[in-house]
Amino acid sequence: YHHFAVDVDGLISAAQPADVTAVYIANPDNPSGSFRDVMEISRLRSALREDQLLILDEAYADFVSPSELLPLDCIDTGVVRLRTFSKAHGLAGLRVGYIMGEAATLAPLNRVRGHFEVSSVAQVGALASLKDVQYLASVVERVDQGRERLATLLQNHGMDTLPSRTNFVTARVGTRADAEAFLNRLLLAGIFIRKPNYPPLDVCVRITVGTPDDFLALENALLNL
């Protein structure tokens, strides 16, 4: 990370040794919420060797305009893209997702993955969700509004928030000890949030955009901390 965001140049530099065979990037990123657009991802791909695999974790891609992402047909033997239904689609309990890539690149997965690991119920639910384009758009719109409101709330309580293109807001609380204490105080108030465990983000907390009732509960809890 550089300035609390994914460092593309750092990834390129770290990929130089001959024994590095794969480079992984979550985009948008968890837990920072940062995003690198199509130009930056293309630059990263171009900087890698032909024998290196670029793994794009796009779990939060639904919260970003398609024009900002690599086109869906932009897949070669050196790129795989991971998607999930656990975020914008709201199907986290079904544990279903998919991977995009060249058949030759993905073939080894079939030799190591478990059989029948995605249930038929999960598959039906995922396919139905893909067809409901209007509902997905409404979820993204509500998350965008809630994210802005959440960031403003945290800023009003003295926290610096990081730019986010996801369904959560990451905020700097102070020191690592401050962040841990903040998390524990909210937990005592019945509100569960997350905190990254490694620097530089270990001084931050990560709060997911919730329902209006969730927001009100957080707002009240912050007033009483």
Side-chain angles (χ1 to χ4, degrees), residues 116-196:
F116 315 116
E117 57 189 5
V118 179
S119 71
S120 58
V121 173
Q123 294 178 52
V124 170
L127 291 173
S129 187
L130 282 176
K131 294 177 182 178
D132 199 346
V133 177
Q134 290 185 339
Y135 179 74
L136 181 62
S138 72
V139 170
V140 172
E141 181 179 6
R142 280 178 284 158
V143 167
D144 287 345
Q145 295 170 352
R147 186 175 60 235
E148 183 176 345
R149 188 182 180 195
L150 176 57
T152 299
L153 174 65
L154 296 175
Q155 291 163 11
N156 289 341
H157 283 269
M159 287 173 271
D160 293 328
T161 58
L162 307 183
S164 175
R165 300 297 299 275
T166 65
N167 66 343
F168 60 79
V169 173
T170 297
R172 286 181 284 183
V173 179
T175 65
R176 176 169 183 157
D178 292 333
E180 291 173 348
F182 181 82
L183 180 149
N184 289 327
R185 288 198 297 270
L186 282 185
L187 187 60
L188 290 174
I191 298 175
F192 178 70
I193 64 173
R194 302 297 296 270
K195 189 192 80 64

Side-chain angles (χ1 to χ4, degrees), residues 8-175:
V8 172
D9 289 320
L11 285 173
I12 292 173
S13 177
Q16 296 307 309
D19 60 347
V20 175
T21 59
V23 174
Y24 172 95
I25 178 173
N27 194 52
D29 180 63
N30 178 15
S32 74
S34 65
F35 174 68
R36 297 307 184 197
D37 63 20
V38 61
M39 297 297 294
E40 284 290 273
I41 297 301
S42 296
R43 183 168 71 87
L44 172 60
R45 176 68 189 106
S46 298
L48 300 180
R49 301 189 304 270
E50 290 186 1
D51 64 336
Q52 291 177 315
L53 183 66
L54 176 61
I55 304 171
L56 294 176
D57 182 341
E58 297 178 323
Y60 296 91
D62 291 306
F63 299 106
V64 177
S65 169
S67 64
E68 299 178 88
L69 298 164
L70 286 175
L72 289 179
D73 60 356
C74 188
I75 297 174
D76 57 43
T77 55
V79 178
V80 296
R81 303 170 71 171
L82 313 177
R83 296 287 181 95
T84 181
F85 290 87
S86 294
K87 310 304 179 185
H89 291 272
L91 300 178
L94 295 182
R95 316 308 296 169
V96 58
Y98 58 96
I99 184 170
M100 297 179 286
E102 289 283 351
T105 304
L106 303 183
L109 291 177
N110 289 323
R111 295 199 293 268
V112 297
R113 69 181 179 89
H115 294 296
F116 315 116
E117 57 189 5
V118 179
S119 71
S120 58
V121 173
Q123 294 178 52
V124 170
L127 291 173
S129 187
L130 282 176
K131 294 177 182 178
D132 199 346
V133 177
Q134 290 185 339
Y135 179 74
L136 181 62
S138 72
V139 170
V140 172
E141 181 179 6
R142 280 178 284 158
V143 167
D144 287 345
Q145 295 170 352
R147 186 175 60 235
E148 183 176 345
R149 188 182 180 195
L150 176 57
T152 299
L153 174 65
L154 296 175
Q155 291 163 11
N156 289 341
H157 283 269
M159 287 173 271
D160 293 328
T161 58
L162 307 183
S164 175
R165 300 297 299 275
T166 65
N167 66 343
F168 60 79
V169 173
T170 297
R172 286 181 284 183
V173 179
T175 65

